[in-house]
Coordinates of all heavy atoms in Angstrom, one line a residue:
M240 N 0.8 -1.2 0.0 CA 0.0 0.0 0.0 C 0.9 1.2 0.0 O 1.9 1.3 0.7 CB -0.9 0.0 1.2 CG -1.8 1.2 1.3 SD -2.8 1.1 2.8 CE -4.4 1.1 2.0
N241 N 0.5 2.2 -0.8 CA 1.2 3.4 -0.9 C 1.2 4.2 0.5 O 0.2 4.2 1.1 CB 0.6 4.3 -2.0 CG 1.5 5.4 -2.4 OD1 2.5 5.7 -1.8 ND2 1.0 6.1 -3.4
Q242 N 2.3 4.8 0.9 CA 2.3 5.5 2.1 C 1.4 6.7 2.2 O 0.9 7.1 3.2 CB 3.8 5.9 2.5 CG 4.7 4.8 2.8 CD 5.4 4.3 1.5 OE1 5.2 4.8 0.4 NE2 6.2 3.3 1.7
F243 N 1.3 7.3 1.0 CA 0.4 8.5 0.9 C -1.1 8.1 1.1 O -1.8 8.9 1.6 CB 0.6 9.3 -0.4 CG 2.0 9.9 -0.5 CD1 2.9 9.4 -1.4 CD2 2.4 10.8 0.4 CE1 4.2 9.9 -1.5 CE2 3.7 11.4 0.3 CZ 4.6 10.9 -0.6
L244 N -1.4 7.0 0.6 CA -2.8 6.5 0.7 C -3.1 6.2 2.2 O -4.2 6.6 2.7 CB -3.1 5.2 -0.1 CG -3.1 5.4 -1.6 CD1 -3.2 4.1 -2.3 CD2 -4.2 6.3 -2.0
L245 N -2.1 5.6 2.9 CA -2.3 5.4 4.3 C -2.4 6.7 5.1 O -3.2 6.8 6.0 CB -1.1 4.5 4.8 CG -1.2 4.1 6.3 CD1 -2.4 3.2 6.5 CD2 0.1 3.3 6.6
L246 N -1.5 7.6 4.7 CA -1.5 8.9 5.4 C -2.9 9.7 5.2 O -3.4 10.3 6.1 CB -0.4 9.8 4.9 CG -0.3 11.2 5.5 CD1 0.0 11.1 7.0 CD2 0.9 12.0 4.9
S247 N -3.4 9.6 4.0 CA -4.7 10.3 3.7 C -5.8 9.6 4.5 O -6.7 10.2 5.0 CB -5.0 10.3 2.2 OG -5.2 9.0 1.7
L248 N -5.7 8.3 4.6 CA -6.7 7.6 5.4 C -6.7 8.0 6.9 O -7.7 8.2 7.5 CB -6.6 6.0 5.3 CG -7.5 5.2 6.1 CD1 -8.9 5.3 5.6 CD2 -7.1 3.7 6.1
I249 N -5.5 8.1 7.4 CA -5.3 8.5 8.8 C -5.8 9.9 9.0 O -6.5 10.2 10.0 CB -3.8 8.3 9.2 CG1 -3.4 6.8 9.3 CG2 -3.6 9.0 10.6 CD1 -2.0 6.6 9.5
L250 N -5.4 10.8 8.1 CA -5.9 12.2 8.2 C -7.4 12.3 8.1 O -8.0 13.1 8.9 CB -5.2 13.1 7.1 CG -3.8 13.5 7.3 CD1 -3.3 14.2 6.1 CD2 -3.6 14.3 8.6
F251 N -8.0 11.6 7.2 CA -9.5 11.6 7.1 C -10.1 11.1 8.4 O -11.1 11.6 8.8 CB -9.9 10.8 5.9 CG -11.4 11.0 5.5 CD1 -11.8 12.1 4.8 CD2 -12.3 10.1 6.0 CE1 -13.1 12.3 4.5 CE2 -13.6 10.3 5.7 CZ -14.0 11.4 4.9
T252 N -9.6 10.0 8.9 CA -10.1 9.5 10.1 C -10.0 10.4 11.3 O -11.0 10.6 12.1 CB -9.4 8.1 10.5 OG1 -9.5 7.3 9.4 CG2 -10.1 7.5 11.7
L253 N -8.9 11.1 11.4 CA -8.7 12.1 12.5 C -9.6 13.3 12.3 O -10.2 13.8 13.3 CB -7.3 12.6 12.5 CG -6.2 11.6 13.1 CD1 -4.8 12.2 12.9 CD2 -6.5 11.4 14.5
G254 N -9.8 13.7 11.0 CA -10.8 14.8 10.8 C -12.2 14.4 11.1 O -13.0 15.2 11.7
L255 N -12.6 13.2 10.7 CA -13.9 12.7 11.1 C -14.1 12.6 12.6 O -15.2 13.0 13.1 CB -14.2 11.4 10.4 CG -15.6 10.8 10.5 CD1 -16.6 11.7 9.9 CD2 -15.6 9.4 9.9
W256 N -13.1 12.1 13.3 CA -13.2 12.0 14.7 C -13.4 13.4 15.3 O -14.1 13.6 16.3 CB -12.0 11.3 15.3 CG -12.0 11.2 16.8 CD1 -12.7 10.3 17.5 CD2 -11.3 12.0 17.7 NE1 -12.4 10.5 18.8 CE2 -11.6 11.5 19.0 CE3 -10.4 13.1 17.6 CZ2 -11.0 12.1 20.1 CZ3 -9.9 13.6 18.7 CH2 -10.2 13.2 20.0
G257 N -12.6 14.4 14.8 CA -12.7 15.8 15.3 C -14.1 16.4 15.0 O -14.6 17.1 15.9
V258 N -14.7 16.1 13.9 CA -16.1 16.6 13.6 C -17.1 16.0 14.6 O -17.9 16.7 15.1 CB -16.5 16.3 12.2 CG1 -18.0 16.5 11.9 CG2 -15.7 17.1 11.2
L259 N -16.9 14.7 14.9 CA -17.9 14.0 15.7 C -17.7 14.4 17.2 O -18.7 14.3 18.0 CB -17.8 12.5 15.5 CG -18.2 12.0 14.1 CD1 -18.0 10.5 14.0 CD2 -19.7 12.4 13.8
R260 N -16.5 14.7 17.6 CA -16.2 14.9 19.1 C -16.2 16.4 19.5 O -16.2 16.6 20.7 CB -14.9 14.2 19.4 CG -14.9 12.7 19.3 CD -15.7 12.1 20.3 NE -15.1 12.3 21.6 CZ -15.7 12.0 22.7 NH1 -16.8 11.5 22.8 NH2 -15.0 12.3 23.9
S261 N -16.1 17.3 18.6 CA -15.9 18.7 19.0 C -17.2 19.4 19.4 O -18.3 19.0 18.8 CB -15.3 19.5 17.8 OG -14.0 19.0 17.6
A262 N -17.1 20.3 20.2 CA -18.3 21.1 20.7 C -18.3 22.5 20.2 O -19.2 23.2 20.3 CB -18.4 21.0 22.2
T263 N -17.1 23.0 19.6 CA -17.1 24.3 19.1 C -17.0 24.3 17.6 O -16.5 23.4 17.0 CB -15.9 25.1 19.7 OG1 -14.7 24.4 19.2 CG2 -15.9 25.1 21.2
L264 N -17.6 25.4 17.0 CA -17.7 25.4 15.6 C -16.3 25.6 14.9 O -16.1 25.0 13.9 CB -18.5 26.6 15.2 CG -20.0 26.4 15.3 CD1 -20.7 27.7 14.9 CD2 -20.5 25.3 14.5
L265 N -15.4 26.2 15.6 CA -14.0 26.4 15.0 C -13.3 25.1 14.9 O -12.7 24.8 13.9 CB -13.2 27.4 15.8 CG -11.9 27.9 15.2 CD1 -12.2 28.5 13.8 CD2 -11.2 28.8 16.1
K266 N -13.4 24.2 15.9 CA -12.8 22.9 15.9 C -13.4 22.0 14.8 O -12.7 21.3 14.1 CB -12.9 22.2 17.2 CG -11.9 22.9 18.3 CD -12.1 22.1 19.6 CE -11.2 22.7 20.7 NZ -11.4 22.1 22.0
I267 N -14.7 22.1 14.7 CA -15.4 21.3 13.6 C -15.0 21.8 12.3 O -14.7 21.0 11.4 CB -16.9 21.5 13.8 CG1 -17.4 20.8 15.1 CG2 -17.7 20.9 12.6 CD1 -18.9 21.0 15.4
F268 N -14.9 23.1 12.1 CA -14.4 23.6 10.8 C -13.0 23.2 10.5 O -12.7 22.8 9.3 CB -14.6 25.2 10.8 CG -14.1 25.8 9.5 CD1 -14.8 25.6 8.3 CD2 -13.0 26.6 9.5 CE1 -14.4 26.2 7.2 CE2 -12.6 27.2 8.4 CZ -13.3 27.0 7.2
M269 N -12.1 23.3 11.5 CA -10.7 22.8 11.2 C -10.7 21.3 10.9 O -9.9 20.9 10.1 CB -9.9 23.1 12.5 CG -9.6 24.6 12.7 SD -8.9 25.1 14.2 CE -7.5 24.0 14.3
S270 N -11.5 20.5 11.5 CA -11.5 19.1 11.2 C -12.0 18.8 9.8 O -11.5 18.0 9.1 CB -12.4 18.4 12.2 OG -11.9 18.5 13.5
I271 N -13.0 19.6 9.3 CA -13.5 19.5 8.0 C -12.3 19.9 7.0 O -12.2 19.2 5.9 CB -14.7 20.4 7.8 CG1 -15.9 19.7 8.5 CG2 -15.1 20.5 6.3 CD1 -17.1 20.6 8.5
E272 N -11.6 20.9 7.3 CA -10.4 21.2 6.5 C -9.4 20.2 6.4 O -8.8 19.9 5.4 CB -9.8 22.6 6.9 CG -10.7 23.8 6.7 CD -11.1 24.0 5.2 OE1 -10.2 23.8 4.4 OE2 -12.2 24.3 4.9
V273 N -9.1 19.5 7.5 CA -8.2 18.3 7.5 C -8.7 17.2 6.6 O -8.0 16.6 5.9 CB -8.0 17.8 9.0 CG1 -7.2 16.5 9.0 CG2 -7.2 18.9 9.8
M274 N -10.0 17.0 6.7 CA -10.6 16.0 5.8 C -10.5 16.4 4.4 O -10.2 15.5 3.5 CB -12.1 15.8 6.2 CG -12.3 15.1 7.5 SD -14.0 15.1 8.1 CE -14.9 14.2 6.9
L275 N -10.7 17.6 4.0 CA -10.5 18.1 2.7 C -9.1 17.9 2.2 O -8.8 17.5 1.1 CB -11.0 19.5 2.6 CG -11.0 20.2 1.2 CD1 -12.0 19.4 0.3 CD2 -11.3 21.6 1.2
A276 N -8.1 18.2 3.0 CA -6.7 18.0 2.7 C -6.4 16.6 2.5 O -5.6 16.2 1.6 CB -5.8 18.6 3.8
S277 N -7.0 15.7 3.3 CA -6.8 14.3 3.1 C -7.3 13.8 1.8 O -6.7 12.9 1.1 CB -7.3 13.5 4.2 OG -8.7 13.4 4.2
V278 N -8.5 14.3 1.3 CA -9.0 13.9 0.0 C -8.1 14.4 -1.1 O -7.9 13.7 -2.1 CB -10.4 14.5 -0.1 CG1 -11.0 14.3 -1.5 CG2 -11.4 13.8 0.9
N279 N -7.6 15.6 -1.0 CA -6.6 16.1 -2.0 C -5.4 15.2 -2.0 O -4.9 14.9 -3.1 CB -6.2 17.5 -1.6 CG -7.2 18.5 -2.0 OD1 -8.1 18.3 -2.8 ND2 -7.2 19.7 -1.4
L280 N -4.9 14.8 -0.9 CA -3.7 13.9 -0.9 C -4.0 12.6 -1.5 O -3.2 12.0 -2.2 CB -3.2 13.7 0.6 CG -2.0 12.9 0.8 CD1 -0.8 13.4 0.1 CD2 -1.7 12.7 2.3
F281 N -5.2 12.1 -1.2 CA -5.7 10.8 -1.8 C -5.7 10.9 -3.3 O -5.2 10.0 -4.0 CB -7.0 10.4 -1.3 CG -7.6 9.2 -1.8 CD1 -7.1 7.9 -1.4 CD2 -8.6 9.2 -2.7 CE1 -7.7 6.8 -1.9 CE2 -9.2 8.1 -3.3 CZ -8.7 6.8 -2.8
I282 N -6.3 12.0 -3.9 CA -6.4 12.1 -5.3 C -5.0 12.3 -5.9 O -4.7 11.7 -7.0 CB -7.3 13.3 -5.6 CG1 -8.7 13.1 -5.3 CG2 -7.2 13.7 -7.1 CD1 -9.6 14.3 -5.3
L283 N -4.2 13.0 -5.3 CA -2.8 13.2 -5.8 C -2.0 11.9 -5.8 O -1.2 11.7 -6.7 CB -2.1 14.3 -5.0 CG -0.8 14.9 -5.6 CD1 -1.1 15.5 -6.9 CD2 -0.2 15.9 -4.6
S284 N -2.2 11.1 -4.7 CA -1.4 9.9 -4.6 C -1.9 8.8 -5.7 O -1.1 8.0 -6.1 CB -1.5 9.3 -3.2 OG -2.8 8.9 -2.9
L285 N -3.2 8.9 -6.0 CA -3.7 7.9 -7.0 C -3.3 8.4 -8.4 O -3.0 7.5 -9.3 CB -5.2 7.8 -6.9 CG -5.8 7.0 -5.8 CD1 -7.3 7.0 -5.8 CD2 -5.2 5.6 -5.7
A286 N -3.3 9.7 -8.7 CA -3.1 10.2 -10.0 C -1.6 10.3 -10.4 O -1.3 10.2 -11.6 CB -3.8 11.5 -10.2
G287 N -0.8 10.4 -9.4 CA 0.6 10.6 -9.7 C 1.0 11.9 -10.2 O 0.6 12.9 -9.6
D288 N 1.7 12.0 -11.3 CA 2.2 13.3 -11.8 C 1.4 13.9 -12.9 O 1.8 14.8 -13.6 CB 3.7 13.2 -12.3 CG 4.6 12.8 -11.1 OD1 4.3 13.2 -10.0 OD2 5.6 12.2 -11.4
G289 N 0.1 13.5 -13.0 CA -0.7 13.9 -14.1 C -1.1 15.4 -13.9 O -1.3 15.9 -12.8
A290 N -1.2 16.1 -15.0 CA -1.5 17.5 -15.0 C -3.0 17.7 -14.6 O -3.4 18.7 -14.0 CB -1.2 18.1 -16.4
K291 N -3.8 16.7 -15.0 CA -5.3 16.9 -14.7 C -5.5 16.8 -13.2 O -6.3 17.6 -12.7 CB -6.1 15.8 -15.4 CG -6.2 15.9 -16.9 CD -7.0 14.8 -17.5 CE -7.0 14.9 -19.0 NZ -7.8 13.8 -19.6
S292 N -4.8 16.0 -12.5 CA -5.0 15.9 -11.1 C -4.5 17.1 -10.4 O -5.1 17.6 -9.4 CB -4.3 14.7 -10.5 OG -2.9 14.8 -10.7
S293 N -3.4 17.7 -10.9 CA -2.9 18.9 -10.3 C -3.9 20.1 -10.5 O -4.1 20.9 -9.6 CB -1.5 19.3 -10.9 OG -0.6 18.2 -10.6
V294 N -4.4 20.2 -11.7 CA -5.4 21.2 -11.9 C -6.6 21.1 -11.1 O -7.2 22.0 -10.5 CB -5.8 21.3 -13.4 CG1 -7.0 22.2 -13.7 CG2 -4.6 21.7 -14.2
F295 N -7.1 19.8 -10.9 CA -8.3 19.6 -10.1 C -8.0 20.0 -8.6 O -8.8 20.6 -8.0 CB -8.7 18.1 -10.2 CG -9.8 17.7 -9.3 CD1 -11.1 18.1 -9.6 CD2 -9.6 17.0 -8.1 CE1 -12.1 17.8 -8.8 CE2 -10.6 16.6 -7.3 CZ -11.9 17.0 -7.6
I296 N -6.8 19.6 -8.1 CA -6.5 19.9 -6.7 C -6.4 21.5 -6.6 O -6.8 22.0 -5.5 CB -5.2 19.2 -6.3 CG1 -5.6 17.7 -6.2 CG2 -4.7 19.7 -5.0 CD1 -4.5 16.8 -5.9
M297 N -5.9 22.1 -7.6 CA -5.8 23.6 -7.5 C -7.2 24.2 -7.4 O -7.4 25.2 -6.6 CB -5.0 24.2 -8.7 CG -3.6 23.8 -8.7 SD -2.7 24.6 -7.3 CE -2.4 26.2 -8.0
F298 N -8.1 23.7 -8.1 CA -9.5 24.2 -8.0 C -10.1 23.9 -6.7 O -10.8 24.7 -6.1 CB -10.4 23.6 -9.1 CG -10.3 24.2 -10.5 CD1 -9.9 23.5 -11.6 CD2 -10.5 25.6 -10.6 CE1 -9.7 24.2 -12.8 CE2 -10.4 26.2 -11.8 CZ -10.0 25.5 -12.9
V299 N -9.8 22.7 -6.1 CA -10.3 22.4 -4.8 C -9.7 23.3 -3.7 O -10.4 23.8 -2.9 CB -10.0 20.9 -4.5 CG1 -10.3 20.6 -3.0 CG2 -10.8 20.0 -5.4
W300 N -8.5 23.6 -3.9 CA -7.8 24.6 -2.9 C -8.4 26.0 -3.1 O -8.6 26.7 -2.1 CB -6.3 24.6 -3.1 CG -5.6 23.5 -2.5 CD1 -6.0 22.6 -1.6 CD2 -4.3 23.0 -2.8 NE1 -5.1 21.7 -1.3 CE2 -4.0 21.9 -2.0 CE3 -3.3 23.5 -3.7 CZ2 -2.8 21.2 -2.1 CZ3 -2.1 22.8 -3.8 CH2 -1.9 21.7 -3.0
L301 N -8.7 26.4 -4.3 CA -9.3 27.7 -4.5 C -10.7 27.8 -3.9 O -11.0 28.8 -3.2 CB -9.4 27.9 -6.1 CG -9.8 29.3 -6.5 CD1 -8.7 30.3 -6.1 CD2 -10.1 29.3 -8.0
I302 N -11.5 26.7 -4.1 CA -12.8 26.7 -3.4 C -12.6 26.7 -1.9 O -13.4 27.3 -1.2 CB -13.6 25.5 -3.9 CG1 -13.9 25.7 -5.4 CG2 -14.8 25.3 -3.1 CD1 -14.5 24.5 -6.1
S303 N -11.6 26.0 -1.4 CA -11.4 25.9 0.0 C -11.0 27.3 0.6 O -11.5 27.6 1.7 CB -10.3 24.9 0.3 OG -10.0 24.9 1.7
V304 N -10.3 28.0 -0.1 CA -9.9 29.4 0.4 C -11.1 30.3 0.4 O -11.3 31.0 1.4 CB -8.8 30.0 -0.5 CG1 -8.6 31.4 -0.3 CG2 -7.5 29.2 -0.3
A305 N -12.0 30.2 -0.6 CA -13.2 31.0 -0.6 C -14.1 30.5 0.6 O -14.7 31.4 1.3 CB -13.9 30.8 -1.9
E306 N -14.2 29.3 0.8 CA -15.0 28.7 1.9 C -14.4 29.2 3.3 O -15.2 29.6 4.1 CB -15.0 27.2 1.9 CG -15.6 26.6 3.1 CD -15.1 25.1 3.3 OE1 -14.2 24.7 2.6 OE2 -15.7 24.5 4.2
I307 N -13.1 29.2 3.4 CA -12.5 29.6 4.7 C -12.9 31.1 5.0 O -13.2 31.4 6.1 CB -11.0 29.4 4.7 CG1 -10.7 27.9 4.7 CG2 -10.3 30.1 5.8 CD1 -9.2 27.6 4.5
S308 N -12.7 31.9 4.0 CA -13.0 33.3 4.2 C -14.5 33.6 4.6 O -14.8 34.4 5.5 CB -12.6 34.2 3.0 OG -13.4 33.8 1.9
I309 N -15.4 32.9 3.9 CA -16.8 33.1 4.2 C -17.2 32.6 5.6 O -17.9 33.2 6.3 CB -17.7 32.5 3.1 CG1 -17.5 33.3 1.8 CG2 -19.1 32.4 3.5 CD1 -18.1 32.6 0.6
V310 N -16.7 31.4 5.9 CA -17.0 30.8 7.1 C -16.4 31.5 8.3 O -17.1 31.7 9.4 CB -16.6 29.3 7.1 CG1 -16.7 28.7 8.5 CG2 -17.5 28.5 6.2
L311 N -15.2 32.0 8.2 CA -14.6 32.8 9.3 C -15.3 34.1 9.5 O -15.5 34.5 10.6 CB -13.1 33.0 9.0 CG -12.3 31.8 9.2 CD1 -10.8 32.1 8.9 CD2 -12.4 31.2 10.6
A312 N -15.8 34.7 8.4 CA -16.6 35.9 8.6 C -17.9 35.6 9.3 O -18.3 36.4 10.2 CB -16.9 36.6 7.2
L313 N -18.5 34.5 9.0 CA -19.8 34.1 9.7 C -19.5 33.8 11.1 O -20.3 34.1 12.0 CB -20.4 32.9 9.0 CG -21.1 33.2 7.7 CD1 -21.5 31.9 7.0 CD2 -22.2 34.1 7.8
F314 N -18.4 33.1 11.4 CA -18.0 32.8 12.8 C -17.8 34.1 13.6 O -18.3 34.2 14.8 CB -16.7 32.0 12.9 CG -16.9 30.6 12.5 CD1 -15.8 29.7 12.4 CD2 -18.2 30.0 12.3 CE1 -15.9 28.4 12.1 CE2 -18.3 28.7 11.9 CZ -17.2 27.9 11.8
I315 N -17.2 35.1 13.0 CA -17.0 36.4 13.8 C -18.3 37.0 14.1 O -18.6 37.5 15.2 CB -16.1 37.3 12.9 CG1 -14.7 36.7 12.9 CG2 -16.1 38.7 13.5 CD1 -13.7 37.4 12.0
L316 N -19.2 37.0 13.1 CA -20.5 37.6 13.3 C -21.3 36.9 14.3 O -22.0 37.5 15.2 CB -21.3 37.7 12.0 CG -20.8 38.7 10.9 CD1 -21.6 38.5 9.6 CD2 -21.0 40.1 11.5
M317 N -21.3 35.5 14.3 CA -22.0 34.7 15.3 C -21.4 34.9 16.7 O -22.2 35.0 17.7 CB -22.0 33.3 14.9 CG -22.9 33.0 13.7 SD -22.7 31.3 13.1 CE -23.0 30.3 14.5
Y318 N -20.1 35.1 16.8 CA -19.5 35.3 18.1 C -19.9 36.6 18.7 O -20.1 36.8 19.9 CB -18.0 35.1 18.0 CG -17.3 35.2 19.4 CD1 -17.4 34.2 20.3 CD2 -16.7 36.4 19.8 CE1 -16.8 34.2 21.5 CE2 -16.1 36.5 21.0 CZ -16.2 35.4 21.9 OH -15.6 35.5 23.1
R319 N -19.9 37.6 17.8 CA -20.3 39.0 18.3 C -21.8 39.0 18.8 O -22.1 39.7 19.7 CB -20.2 40.0 17.2 CG -18.7 40.4 16.9 CD -18.7 41.4 15.8 NE -17.3 41.7 15.5 CZ -16.9 42.4 14.5 NH1 -17.8 42.9 13.7 NH2 -15.6 42.7 14.2
K320 N -22.6 38.2 18.1 CA -24.0 38.2 18.5 C -24.3 37.3 19.7 O -25.0 37.7 20.7 CB -24.9 37.7 17.4 CG -26.4 37.7 17.7 CD -27.2 37.4 16.4 CE -28.6 37.3 16.7 NZ -29.2 38.6 16.8
M321 N -23.7 36.1 19.8 CA -24.0 35.1 20.8 C -23.0 35.0 21.9 O -23.3 34.4 22.9 CB -24.2 33.7 20.2 CG -25.2 33.6 19.1 SD -26.9 33.8 19.7 CE -27.1 32.2 20.6
K322 N -21.8 35.6 21.7 CA -20.7 35.6 22.7 C -20.2 34.2 23.0 O -19.6 33.9 24.1 CB -21.1 36.3 24.0 CG -21.5 37.7 23.8 CD -20.3 38.5 23.4 CE -20.7 40.0 23.3 NZ -20.1 40.7 22.3
T323 N -20.5 33.2 22.2 CA -20.0 31.8 22.3 C -19.9 31.1 21.0 O -20.5 31.6 20.0 CB -20.9 31.0 23.3 OG1 -20.3 29.8 23.5 CG2 -22.3 30.8 22.7
M324 N -19.1 30.1 20.9 CA -19.0 29.3 19.7 C -19.4 27.8 20.0 O -19.1 26.9 19.2 CB -17.6 29.3 19.1 CG -17.2 30.7 18.6 SD -18.3 31.3 17.3 CE -17.9 30.3 16.0
D325 N -20.0 27.6 21.2 CA -20.5 26.3 21.6 C -21.7 25.9 20.7 O -22.6 26.6 20.5 CB -20.8 26.3 23.0 CG -21.1 24.9 23.5 OD1 -20.5 23.9 23.0 OD2 -22.0 24.7 24.4
V326 N -21.6 24.7 20.1 CA -22.6 24.2 19.2 C -24.0 24.0 20.0 O -25.0 24.4 19.4 CB -22.2 22.8 18.6 CG1 -23.3 22.3 17.7 CG2 -20.9 23.0 17.8
N327 N -23.9 23.5 21.2 CA -25.2 23.3 21.9 C -25.9 24.6 22.2 O -27.1 24.7 22.3 CB -24.9 22.6 23.2 CG -24.4 21.2 22.9 OD1 -24.8 20.5 22.0 ND2 -23.4 20.7 23.7
T328 N -25.1 25.7 22.5 CA -25.7 27.0 22.7 C -26.2 27.6 21.4 O -27.3 28.3 21.4 CB -24.7 28.0 23.4 OG1 -24.1 27.3 24.5 CG2 -25.3 29.3 23.8
L329 N -25.6 27.4 20.4 CA -26.0 27.9 19.1 C -27.2 27.2 18.5 O -27.8 27.7 17.5 CB -24.8 27.9 18.1 CG -23.6 28.8 18.4 CD1 -22.5 28.6 17.4 CD2 -24.1 30.2 18.5
K330 N -27.7 26.1 19.1 CA -28.9 25.5 18.6 C -30.1 26.4 18.9 O -31.2 26.2 18.3 CB -29.1 24.2 19.3 CG -28.2 23.1 18.8 CD -28.4 21.8 19.5 CE -27.5 20.7 19.1 NZ -27.7 19.4 19.8
K331 N -29.9 27.4 19.7 CA -31.0 28.3 20.0 C -31.4 29.2 18.9 O -32.4 29.9 18.9 CB -30.7 29.1 21.3 CG -30.6 28.2 22.5 CD -30.2 29.1 23.7 CE -29.9 28.2 25.0 NZ -29.5 29.0 26.1
L332 N -30.5 29.3 17.9 CA -30.7 30.2 16.8 C -31.9 29.7 16.0 O -32.0 28.6 15.6 CB -29.5 30.3 15.9 CG -28.2 31.0 16.5 CD1 -27.1 30.8 15.5 CD2 -28.5 32.4 16.7
R333 N -32.8 30.6 15.7 CA -34.0 30.3 14.9 C -34.0 31.3 13.7 O -33.7 32.5 13.9 CB -35.3 30.4 15.7 CG -35.3 29.5 16.9 CD -35.6 28.1 16.4 NE -35.6 27.2 17.5 CZ -35.6 25.9 17.4 NH1 -35.5 25.3 16.2 NH2 -35.6 25.1 18.5
W334 N -34.5 30.9 12.6 CA -34.7 31.7 11.5 C -35.9 32.5 11.6 O -36.9 32.5 11.7 CB -34.6 30.9 10.2 CG -33.2 30.4 10.0 CD1 -32.9 29.1 10.2 CD2 -32.1 31.1 9.6 NE1 -31.5 28.9 10.0 CE2 -31.0 30.1 9.6 CE3 -31.8 32.4 9.2 CZ2 -29.7 30.4 9.2 CZ3 -30.5 32.7 8.8 CH2 -29.5 31.7 8.8

């Protein structure tokens, strides 16, 4: 088994564990980003040195950067309003 495949599996498992066990939104978001990085590593390790895989991963990183900026802005707004980032407390939010 390729070492990069094993590393991507370990990273994905750690990210999934972080999503399931965390109580704050920032930790959940960071765990999702670890999972996204592990998927990129998985794709890169399967494709090798192909140009198509590199372009695909660049697009995924570009989308990830846009996601990070939007989510962090939302986190700041939610923290200013609720004064906490605890998921159980934020369940009180209603539309």
Side-chain angles (χ1 to χ4, degrees):
M240 180 182 239
N241 193 356
Q242 292 89 1
F243 295 115
L244 292 175
L245 182 62
L246 180 63
S247 68
L248 177 68
I249 291 170
L250 283 175
F251 191 83
T252 306
L253 286 174
L255 185 63
W256 181 78
V258 167
L259 295 176
R260 296 288 296 170
S261 296
T263 61
L264 284 177
L265 190 60
K266 288 181 184 177
I267 292 172
F268 179 66
M269 288 171 53
S270 298
I271 290 172
E272 290 300 320
V273 168
M274 291 169 61
L275 185 62
S277 73
V278 169
N279 284 339
L280 182 62
F281 178 76
I282 291 170
L283 193 60
S284 65
L285 286 181
D288 293 332
K291 289 181 182 179
S292 65
S293 299
V294 170
F295 177 72
I296 288 174
M297 291 295 275
F298 279 123
V299 170
W300 282 342
L301 187 69
I302 292 170
S303 176
V304 167
E306 172 202 5
I307 289 170
S308 63
I309 292 170
V310 170
L311 287 178
L313 287 173
F314 284 173
I315 291 170
L316 290 174
M317 287 172 54
Y318 184 76
R319 285 182 184 168
K320 182 176 176 78
M321 301 292 287
K322 301 293 184 212
T323 184
M324 294 302 288
D325 187 30
V326 176
N327 296 323
T328 307
L329 294 176
K330 286 181 182 178
K331 296 177 183 175
L332 290 176
R333 297 286 180 194
W334 292 102

